[in-house]
PDB file of all heavy atoms in Angstrom:
ATOM      1  N   LEU A 137      -1.536  27.000  12.029  1.00 91.00           N
ATOM      2  CA  LEU A 137      -2.881  26.854  12.490  1.00 91.00           C
ATOM      3  C   LEU A 137      -3.799  26.329  11.381  1.00 91.00           C
ATOM      4  O   LEU A 137      -4.630  25.390  11.620  1.00 91.00           O
ATOM      5  CB  LEU A 137      -3.424  28.169  13.087  1.00 91.00           C
ATOM      6  CG  LEU A 137      -2.694  28.642  14.369  1.00 91.00           C
ATOM      7  CD1 LEU A 137      -3.303  29.968  14.856  1.00 91.00           C
ATOM      8  CD2 LEU A 137      -2.664  27.602  15.462  1.00 91.00           C
ATOM      9  N   THR A 174      -7.587  23.147  19.404  1.00 93.00           N
ATOM     10  CA  THR A 174      -8.491  23.871  18.494  1.00 93.00           C
ATOM     11  C   THR A 174      -9.015  25.196  19.056  1.00 93.00           C
ATOM     12  O   THR A 174      -9.497  26.040  18.360  1.00 93.00           O
ATOM     13  CB  THR A 174      -9.711  22.973  18.147  1.00 93.00           C
ATOM     14  OG1 THR A 174     -10.460  22.750  19.362  1.00 93.00           O
ATOM     15  CG2 THR A 174      -9.300  21.693  17.530  1.00 93.00           C
ATOM     16  N   GLU A 175      -8.890  25.386  20.394  1.00 93.00           N
ATOM     17  CA  GLU A 175      -9.575  26.466  20.994  1.00 93.00           C
ATOM     18  C   GLU A 175      -8.752  27.214  22.054  1.00 93.00           C
ATOM     19  O   GLU A 175      -7.571  27.462  21.872  1.00 93.00           O
ATOM     20  CB  GLU A 175     -10.974  26.117  21.501  1.00 93.00           C
ATOM     21  CG  GLU A 175     -10.994  24.914  22.390  1.00 93.00           C
ATOM     22  CD  GLU A 175     -12.356  24.438  22.768  1.00 93.00           C
ATOM     23  OE1 GLU A 175     -13.316  24.592  21.950  1.00 93.00           O
ATOM     24  OE2 GLU A 175     -12.562  23.899  23.889  1.00 93.00           O
ATOM     25  N   GLY A 176      -9.362  27.574  23.124  1.00 91.00           N
ATOM     26  CA  GLY A 176      -8.641  28.374  24.164  1.00 91.00           C
ATOM     27  C   GLY A 176      -8.369  29.787  23.629  1.00 91.00           C
ATOM     28  O   GLY A 176      -9.095  30.343  22.825  1.00 91.00           O
ATOM     29  N   VAL A 177      -7.228  30.350  24.022  1.00 89.00           N
ATOM     30  CA  VAL A 177      -6.918  31.718  23.519  1.00 89.00           C
ATOM     31  C   VAL A 177      -6.360  31.679  22.089  1.00 89.00           C
ATOM     32  O   VAL A 177      -6.132  32.752  21.507  1.00 89.00           O
ATOM     33  CB  VAL A 177      -5.879  32.399  24.423  1.00 89.00           C
ATOM     34  CG1 VAL A 177      -6.469  32.617  25.820  1.00 89.00           C
ATOM     35  CG2 VAL A 177      -4.598  31.631  24.560  1.00 89.00           C
ATOM     36  N   TYR A 178      -6.112  30.478  21.544  1.00 86.00           N
ATOM     37  CA  TYR A 178      -5.633  30.385  20.175  1.00 86.00           C
ATOM     38  C   TYR A 178      -6.798  30.297  19.167  1.00 86.00           C
ATOM     39  O   TYR A 178      -6.565  30.078  17.970  1.00 86.00           O
ATOM     40  CB  TYR A 178      -4.762  29.164  20.040  1.00 86.00           C
ATOM     41  CG  TYR A 178      -3.361  29.300  20.661  1.00 86.00           C
ATOM     42  CD1 TYR A 178      -2.978  30.429  21.347  1.00 86.00           C
ATOM     43  CD2 TYR A 178      -2.427  28.317  20.566  1.00 86.00           C
ATOM     44  CE1 TYR A 178      -1.776  30.552  21.966  1.00 86.00           C
ATOM     45  CE2 TYR A 178      -1.152  28.405  21.123  1.00 86.00           C
ATOM     46  CZ  TYR A 178      -0.834  29.536  21.856  1.00 86.00           C
ATOM     47  OH  TYR A 178       0.377  29.648  22.396  1.00 86.00           O
ATOM     48  N   ALA A 179      -8.035  30.482  19.623  1.00 84.00           N
ATOM     49  CA  ALA A 179      -9.133  30.367  18.724  1.00 84.00           C
ATOM     50  C   ALA A 179      -9.205  31.523  17.752  1.00 84.00           C
ATOM     51  O   ALA A 179      -9.943  31.529  16.792  1.00 84.00           O
ATOM     52  CB  ALA A 179     -10.463  30.292  19.513  1.00 84.00           C
ATOM     53  N   GLY A 180      -8.457  32.629  18.066  1.00 83.00           N
ATOM     54  CA  GLY A 180      -8.332  33.763  17.129  1.00 83.00           C
ATOM     55  C   GLY A 180      -9.360  34.831  17.277  1.00 83.00           C
ATOM     56  O   GLY A 180      -9.525  35.638  16.374  1.00 83.00           O
ATOM     57  N   HIS A 181     -10.065  34.922  18.441  1.00 90.00           N
ATOM     58  CA  HIS A 181     -11.055  35.952  18.658  1.00 90.00           C
ATOM     59  C   HIS A 181     -10.455  37.128  19.389  1.00 90.00           C
ATOM     60  O   HIS A 181     -10.602  37.314  20.614  1.00 90.00           O
ATOM     61  CB  HIS A 181     -12.282  35.377  19.456  1.00 90.00           C
ATOM     62  CG  HIS A 181     -12.859  34.204  18.783  1.00 90.00           C
ATOM     63  ND1 HIS A 181     -13.478  34.293  17.534  1.00 90.00           N
ATOM     64  CD2 HIS A 181     -12.981  32.870  19.139  1.00 90.00           C
ATOM     65  CE1 HIS A 181     -13.992  33.069  17.216  1.00 90.00           C
ATOM     66  NE2 HIS A 181     -13.669  32.233  18.153  1.00 90.00           N
ATOM     67  N   GLU A 182      -9.720  37.949  18.641  1.00 91.00           N
ATOM     68  CA  GLU A 182      -9.074  39.127  19.218  1.00 91.00           C
ATOM     69  C   GLU A 182      -9.670  40.401  18.548  1.00 91.00           C
ATOM     70  O   GLU A 182     -10.012  40.385  17.394  1.00 91.00           O
ATOM     71  CB  GLU A 182      -7.561  39.146  18.932  1.00 91.00           C
ATOM     72  CG  GLU A 182      -6.785  38.136  19.740  1.00 91.00           C
ATOM     73  CD  GLU A 182      -5.303  38.345  19.639  1.00 91.00           C
ATOM     74  OE1 GLU A 182      -4.713  37.777  18.653  1.00 91.00           O
ATOM     75  OE2 GLU A 182      -4.715  39.045  20.442  1.00 91.00           O
ATOM     76  N   LEU A 192      -9.274  39.740  24.050  1.00 94.00           N
ATOM     77  CA  LEU A 192      -9.052  38.357  23.567  1.00 94.00           C
ATOM     78  C   LEU A 192     -10.121  37.467  24.231  1.00 94.00           C
ATOM     79  O   LEU A 192     -10.228  37.450  25.471  1.00 94.00           O
ATOM     80  CB  LEU A 192      -7.634  37.878  23.890  1.00 94.00           C
ATOM     81  CG  LEU A 192      -7.360  36.400  23.675  1.00 94.00           C
ATOM     82  CD1 LEU A 192      -7.439  36.062  22.234  1.00 94.00           C
ATOM     83  CD2 LEU A 192      -5.939  36.028  24.245  1.00 94.00           C
ATOM     84  N   THR A 193     -10.911  36.796  23.421  1.00 94.00           N
ATOM     85  CA  THR A 193     -11.925  35.947  23.952  1.00 94.00           C
ATOM     86  C   THR A 193     -11.382  34.497  24.029  1.00 94.00           C
ATOM     87  O   THR A 193     -10.953  33.961  23.021  1.00 94.00           O
ATOM     88  CB  THR A 193     -13.210  35.966  23.080  1.00 94.00           C
ATOM     89  OG1 THR A 193     -13.684  37.299  23.054  1.00 94.00           O
ATOM     90  CG2 THR A 193     -14.272  35.066  23.617  1.00 94.00           C
ATOM     91  N   ARG A 194     -11.477  33.880  25.183  1.00 94.00           N
ATOM     92  CA  ARG A 194     -11.029  32.511  25.392  1.00 94.00           C
ATOM     93  C   ARG A 194     -12.203  31.543  25.220  1.00 94.00           C
ATOM     94  O   ARG A 194     -13.282  31.764  25.837  1.00 94.00           O
ATOM     95  CB  ARG A 194     -10.437  32.326  26.763  1.00 94.00           C
ATOM     96  CG  ARG A 194      -9.780  31.015  27.039  1.00 94.00           C
ATOM     97  CD  ARG A 194      -9.010  31.061  28.376  1.00 94.00           C
ATOM     98  NE  ARG A 194      -8.202  29.899  28.495  1.00 94.00           N
ATOM     99  CZ  ARG A 194      -8.434  28.797  29.187  1.00 94.00           C
ATOM    100  NH1 ARG A 194      -9.617  28.701  29.820  1.00 94.00           N
ATOM    101  NH2 ARG A 194      -7.572  27.826  29.311  1.00 94.00           N
ATOM    102  N   VAL A 195     -12.111  30.580  24.340  1.00 95.00           N
ATOM    103  CA  VAL A 195     -13.160  29.654  24.049  1.00 95.00           C
ATOM    104  C   VAL A 195     -12.864  28.289  24.609  1.00 95.00           C
ATOM    105  O   VAL A 195     -11.850  27.684  24.316  1.00 95.00           O
ATOM    106  CB  VAL A 195     -13.386  29.605  22.502  1.00 95.00           C
ATOM    107  CG1 VAL A 195     -14.550  28.615  22.192  1.00 95.00           C
ATOM    108  CG2 VAL A 195     -13.687  30.960  21.955  1.00 95.00           C
ATOM    109  N   ASN A 277      -4.905  24.509  25.470  1.00 95.00           N
ATOM    110  CA  ASN A 277      -4.050  24.841  24.350  1.00 95.00           C
ATOM    111  C   ASN A 277      -2.799  25.663  24.772  1.00 95.00           C
ATOM    112  O   ASN A 277      -1.658  25.258  24.519  1.00 95.00           O
ATOM    113  CB  ASN A 277      -4.902  25.613  23.278  1.00 95.00           C
ATOM    114  CG  ASN A 277      -4.286  25.478  21.872  1.00 95.00           C
ATOM    115  OD1 ASN A 277      -3.111  25.300  21.700  1.00 95.00           O
ATOM    116  ND2 ASN A 277      -5.179  25.664  20.956  1.00 95.00           N
TER     117      ASN A 277
END
Side-chain angles (χ1 to χ4, degrees):
L137 296 181
T174 65
E175 50 187 32
V177 296
Y178 287 3
H181 301 297
E182 288 191 275
L192 171 63
T193 300
R194 187 171 193 262
V195 178
N277 204 335

